[in-house]
Amino acid sequence: MKRVIFFLILLPLLAVHSCKQPAKQEVSAENRMQWWTDAKFGLFIHWGVYAVPAGVYKEVQIKNIGEWIMNRGKIPVAEYREFAKQFNPVKYDPEAWVKLAKEAGMKYLVITSKHHDGFALFDSKVTDWDVVDATPYGKDLLTPLAEACKKEGIKLGFYYSQAQDWTHPGGAAARRPAVEGWANPDSAAIDAYTKEHRGHWDPAQEGSMDDYLDKIAVPQVKEILENYGGLDILWWDTPTDMNKERAEKFLPLLANHPNLITNNRLGGGYQGDTETPEQYIPSTGFPDRHWEVCMTMNDTWGFKSWDHDWKSTNDLILKLSDIVSKGGNFLLNVGPTAEGEIPQPSIERLKEVGQWMKVNGEAIYGTQASPFAWLPWGKATLKGQNLYLHVVTWPADGKLKLPLTNKITGVTLLADPGFKSEVSQSEGYAVITLPTQSSDQWLPVIKLDIEGTPAVVSPVSSGKPGAASSVDASASIAHLFDGDPLNTWKPVAGENKAWIEVDLGEEMPVANFSISEPWKPWDRKRQDFELRVKDKEGKWVTVISGKTRGSGHSADFEPVNGRYFRLDLAGPNGEVPVVNEWVLNRAL
Ligand code: JFZ
């Protein structure tokens, strides 16, 4: 009976959410994402009680990401709750945080309203495990942040750990071997317990997950969706033990927020609006999806007092450029202290990235992905008649080669408007004459005005004839070279090891190869590959070998002259290998 009522009431709502009936203030699916795809750059904020132990428990430095210290330290619930009594962020200045994000060139921020430890940074009516009831600070931390975002025109997102909750009975807990956190003397006993108790390490965590979802998670998601002036983004995380029924408990809440952007981490097969590759940049992006790389500035999301492994500003700028050149967004993290301060190394880097964005932001905001499959010296972004060249490796000979045939009517160095350059065009590529030295402290960007839409010289493998050890009936060799990253080649079933070959038609200097793969980061699918070229004696000579991430792979190598190239593959986990697109790029 309950199920019939469920379908009678919720089916129409689901339809609204899934097939986007235009509600009065709802904007079209694509426009709904427009601000997000134009924004490109956001601030991730991991903040909570875990900033009190800050990576140390029982005077031991607990390994792994700081916000997992309760799980990695196997800290009993009652003991962890005591840390909240020391969480008193008197130096918290939400205006300053929002202004810092803005100064960095960021257009939105996403803060952890509740992370896996179950502690809510907001005033929740369904628990006393929140900042108002469990800490000396006693005030909601998200209201002033939401107000500051509205005042500064920064879009607001809340991260919410819908499945994992290590404090409220029944909340899920991803099982992690005790020793991975520290040399816990009780590791064996704890591991035995977590094995039998769905990852829980404390009897206080036992309970029904559905009760936890119904009594804590769903009501709290309602609170964060309705009590903060309307969210722009809801960022789910780790769908541990989630399934379709459990995911559907949250959908009715979303139906009232048609413009809300959600990610792919709710679980139960719900993909949301965005893919979320974590701590790495996908080699070939996600051709069919909006995607956002989330990354730490050091090696932890939540504050750890002893993690000083900070990425350099230049590295962060190169990552932003790489991600945006592939059509993605960059969500860069800070982990504030329990006093409410963003660590100084993070502030310095955000300010410096902001200096680069002040000069080069037009090469980032509102751009499309690079029209080039590969460039040996860097990346590119496109906006209308402007092509932006992100010159990672400044040409020592001052000659920047570009596989483009359009007429170039203007060349500007964004960092030096007085910069003058010659452009010449010869068989299939343009040469832009540059000073032999770049005067830019960070990544220099050259702006080209071009006539017409970019006419790019295709990769040397494009449309070339291929061969394979075998081809499954549902696939085709031609799919490898047709420029469509969504159709597939795979061998016949059971053939875990296979090879594909391409005939370039003539000897060519090749300096990069890439393959598109069909899987997502969660799928944990990795393929072994070996690229070989046929030498003058007809022998196959190895060029490069390695393991992919399963969501695309690209590799540069010293130019190799050859006509016939072969890729030997071993599929993931004993399965057949699958490749959607195989590209060989000519040395320039
Ligand atoms: C999750 C959280 O567990 C972590 O604490 C942090 O909030 C991060 C942003 O997200 O960590 C993950 C999630 C996904 C993967 C790995 C770590 N994954 O897909 O491999």
Side-chain angles (χ1 to χ4, degrees), residues 108-402:
Y108 62 101
L109 68 81
V110 178
I111 186 167
T112 52
S113 65
K114 189 202 80 164
H115 202 268
H116 306 332
D117 63 356
F119 178 78
L121 298 187
F122 58 97
D123 178 13
S124 174
K125 293 295 176 270
V126 297
T127 181
D128 62 1
W129 183 223
D130 66 18
V131 65
V132 171
D133 303 313
T135 77
Y137 188 81
K139 290 175 291 179
D140 186 307
L141 292 163
L142 300 184
T143 299
L145 186 68
E147 287 159 358
C149 283
K150 205 173 282 318
K151 183 161 165 259
E152 300 292 335
I154 293 289
K155 295 279 190 179
L156 177 65
F158 284 171
Y159 165 114
Y160 186 84
S161 177
Q162 77 282 5
Q164 290 205 77
D165 188 312
W166 303 330
T167 297
H168 294 102
R175 181 171 185 272
R176 294 287 185 273
V179 74
E180 285 182 3
W182 64 303
N184 191 323
D186 315 328
S187 291
I190 290 172
D191 288 352
Y193 184 92
T194 57
K195 195 170 179 47
E196 300 315 313
H197 296 83
R198 290 191 312 111
H200 294 146
W201 55 91
D202 180 342
Q205 296 170 315
E206 298 315 314
S208 147
M209 180 165 180
D210 290 300
D211 285 357
Y212 150 72
L213 290 171
D214 295 340
K215 295 192 178 70
I216 301 292
V218 169
Q220 286 191 328
V221 169
K222 191 168 186 320
E223 289 174 326
I224 61 177
L225 283 172
E226 292 171 0
N227 300 353
Y228 297 89
L231 293 183
D232 300 294
I233 298 169
L234 182 50
W235 219 92
W236 307 110
D237 199 9
T238 63
T240 310
D241 302 339
M242 286 293 282
N243 57 34
K244 195 166 182 301
E245 288 66 37
R246 287 171 173 166
E248 283 166 359
K249 290 174 184 285
F250 294 94
L251 293 185
L253 300 173
L254 303 181
N256 309 331
H257 303 272
N259 300 336
L260 183 72
I261 293 174
T262 64
N263 68 7
N264 65 332
R265 297 188 180 194
L266 172 60
Y270 285 91
Q271 289 305 311
D273 302 300
T274 62
E275 287 296 321
T276 52
E278 172 150 340
Q279 300 284 51
Y280 82 98
I281 300 172
S283 304
T284 54
F286 295 93
D288 58 340
R289 294 271 285 168
H290 296 288
W291 56 282
E292 174 190 66
V293 169
C294 55
M295 195 173 281
T296 55
M297 275 196 212
N298 52 4
D299 301 328
T300 181
W301 303 93
F303 177 70
K304 276 171 82 169
S305 57
W306 50 278
D307 183 330
H308 310 299
D309 181 20
W310 300 100
K311 298 174 177 71
S312 68
T313 295
N314 194 53
D315 184 21
L316 295 172
I317 291 169
L318 291 178
K319 287 178 177 356
L320 175 62
S321 157
D322 184 12
I323 291 165
V324 173
S325 75
K326 292 168 177 169
N329 276 32
F330 191 20
L331 188 64
L332 185 57
N333 185 75
V334 295
T337 66
E339 289 69 38
E341 294 179 303
I342 292 175
Q344 198 50 35
S346 298
I347 294 174
E348 285 159 14
R349 285 157 179 73
L350 289 173
K351 286 181 178 294
E352 290 177 340
V353 170
Q355 287 163 30
W356 183 85
M357 286 292 261
K358 272 200 190 49
V359 174
N360 302 286
E362 69 173 274
I364 298 289
Y365 302 124
T367 59
Q368 292 170 275
S370 170
F372 303 101
W374 174 76
L375 294 167
W377 43 258
K379 310 292 177 184
T381 51
L382 176 66
K383 188 168 18 184
Q385 295 316 120
N386 292 124
L387 203 50
Y388 296 94
L389 311 180
H390 304 216
V391 187
V392 177
T393 313
W394 194 267
D397 63 358
K399 300 273 181 251
L400 195 71
K401 296 193 183 92
L402 194 62

Side-chain angles (χ1 to χ4, degrees), residues 14 47 103 160 205 238 273 376 402 408 426 472 479 519 531 555:
L14 277 176
W47 196 28
E103 185 181 347
Y160 186 84
Q205 296 170 315
T238 63
D273 302 300
L402 194 62
I408 296 172
S426 64
D472 183 81
H479 289 168
W519 301 292
L531 177 68

